[in-house]
Amino acid sequence: MAPAETIVKTGQRVLRTEAAALATLADALPTDFPAAVEMILGAKGRVVVSGIGKSGHIGNKIAATLASTGTPAQFVHASEASHGDLGMLTTDDVCLLLSNSGETTELGDIIAHTRRFGIPLIGISSREGSTLMRAADLRLTLPAAPEACAIGMAPTTSTTMMLALGDALAVALMEERGFQAAHFHVFHPGGKLGAQMASVADFMHGGAELPLVDAGADMSETLLQMTSKGFGIAAVVTDGKLSGVVSDGDLRRNMADLMSRKAGQVATPDPVTIAPDCLAAVALKTLNERKIGALVVVSEDKTPLGILHIHDLLRAGVA
């Protein structure tokens, strides 16, 4: 086995080779890139992506990225297309084919199908004059760059450029569609990412769970709300609008004559609040920065809607 220093140098060489290729691609973005974005935006159907081998794996990822960012897409295996899966490709779709050489035999039936039925075809290849690129309506040609492997043959740099170009397409389409965080959450409801993209309304405690007292309420009533609802705070309202919050810290600061005072006299005025449509990740950031355990959720007119506790966010995996 080679010394660790030699292995490190190999890893660095590969990464630098591929990074240089991406820089070249960025400086020489294919001329048809804007037209490809416009073509996909105008499609009534989906982007059907296909390839074989390493290009197929990259195509599968590109299709997944497109689908999760607002552009309906599906990957069709090139070999399976010749055995019935061509039926997944309709005249409302746009076909995106990947082949580094542009001469991949298995793509022949898909290319012929798109030409026969007038289905828009976008090709991604390193060879401008290849069979694929000659047939394509739009050509996303990769710049000449050496593969990163020692023998210069294993798809490394070429597939990295394909993947990055697919990401560039997806992000450009996102921005053209005005795709926002709320839309992203629709396609990512599960796991940590889904929790981070969820809104405050998904986690807040409202209705009967809301520890609510009038500004003129006795402290005995206030303490009952704070303990029975289990959030350690009470939202204080005046004429139905939030005017303050009583926390454990407020109780300690007023301990000398606490029971003779009213909720409004003990409460911290103008407390930190949050809107129900705010992202859960933003709410957690606010809680951490303010070093508090709960936030009152309010409407635009300061009407209390619920309580958001930091433990609910942590249990859901927002952190």
Side-chain angles (χ1 to χ4, degrees):
M1 182 174 174
E5 182 180 352
T6 301
I7 295 173
V8 168
K9 287 181 178 179
T10 298
Q12 292 174 333
R13 185 191 73 242
V14 170
L15 294 174
R16 286 172 180 148
T17 299
E18 297 192 356
L22 290 179
T24 300
L25 176 60
D27 291 337
L29 197 66
T31 304
D32 283 347
F33 184 83
V37 172
E38 184 177 354
M39 177 182 283
I40 294 171
L41 284 172
K44 296 179 181 179
R46 301 158 299 170
V47 177
V48 176
V49 187
S50 189
I52 201 76
K54 306 299 187 295
S55 296
H57 293 306
I58 297 300
N60 210 334
K61 190 274 179 184
I62 291 174
T65 300
L66 289 169
S68 70
T69 54
T71 298
Q74 179 179 347
F75 179 78
V76 173
H77 193 281
S79 295
E80 296 298 331
S82 299
H83 297 277
D85 282 1
L86 279 176
M88 297 182 183
L89 187 57
T90 75
T91 54
D92 287 333
D93 299 329
V94 170
C95 187
L96 177 63
L97 296 188
L98 287 72
S99 170
N100 186 42
S101 69
E103 299 294 344
T104 305
T105 304
E106 290 86 350
L107 295 182
D109 288 337
I110 300 180
I111 294 173
H113 186 76
T114 63
R115 302 306 78 192
R116 178 183 178 188
F117 294 101
I119 299 169
L121 174 60
I122 301 171
I124 297 181
S125 174
S126 296
R127 294 180 56 196
E128 182 71 27
S130 64
T131 299
L132 169 60
M133 299 303 254
R134 289 199 309 271
D137 298 296
L138 297 175
R139 302 165 184 83
L140 302 181
T141 307
L142 303 175
E147 299 289 8
C149 73
I151 61 174
M153 297 181 67
T156 48
T157 304
S158 57
T159 50
T160 297
M161 287 193 291
M162 283 183 180
L163 183 62
L165 191 56
D167 287 342
L169 274 175
V171 173
L173 288 161
M174 281 180 67
E175 295 184 4
E176 288 298 311
R177 295 183 192 279
F179 196 81
Q180 302 296 321
H183 304 130
F184 196 73
H185 173 54
V186 172
F187 302 118
H188 300 77
K192 182 175 180 179
L193 180 58
Q196 290 175 329
M197 300 305 298
S199 68
V200 166
D202 294 321
F203 297 104
M204 74 178 190
H205 300 265
E209 295 183 273
L210 180 59
L212 202 64
V213 295
D214 189 79
D218 294 332
M219 286 310 299
S220 58
E221 180 184 347
T222 304
L223 289 170
L224 179 62
Q225 284 291 320
M226 293 176 68
T227 55
S228 64
K229 301 301 171 63
F231 298 110
I233 66 171
V236 180
V237 295
T238 301
D239 296 326
K241 309 301 179 187
L242 184 71
S243 57
V245 167
V246 178
S247 67
D248 289 337
D250 295 315
L251 298 181
R252 288 191 294 271
R253 285 188 289 271
N254 292 274
M255 189 62 70
D257 57 350
L258 180 65
M259 299 310 294
S260 65
R261 310 191 74 182
K262 302 296 184 183
Q265 296 173 313
V266 175
T268 297
D270 299 319
V272 181
T273 61
I274 198 160
D277 57 353
C278 182
L279 289 178
V282 174
L284 182 61
K285 181 174 182 289
T286 301
L287 288 164
N288 285 329
E289 289 177 347
R290 298 283 183 157
K291 294 181 172 59
I292 54 179
L295 288 168
V296 181
V297 184
V298 298
S299 62
E300 290 185 8
D301 66 355
K302 296 299 181 182
T303 300
L305 302 174
I307 291 286
L308 179 70
H309 200 279
I310 191 169
H311 290 167
D312 296 311
L313 299 179
L314 296 177
R315 277 195 295 267
V318 176

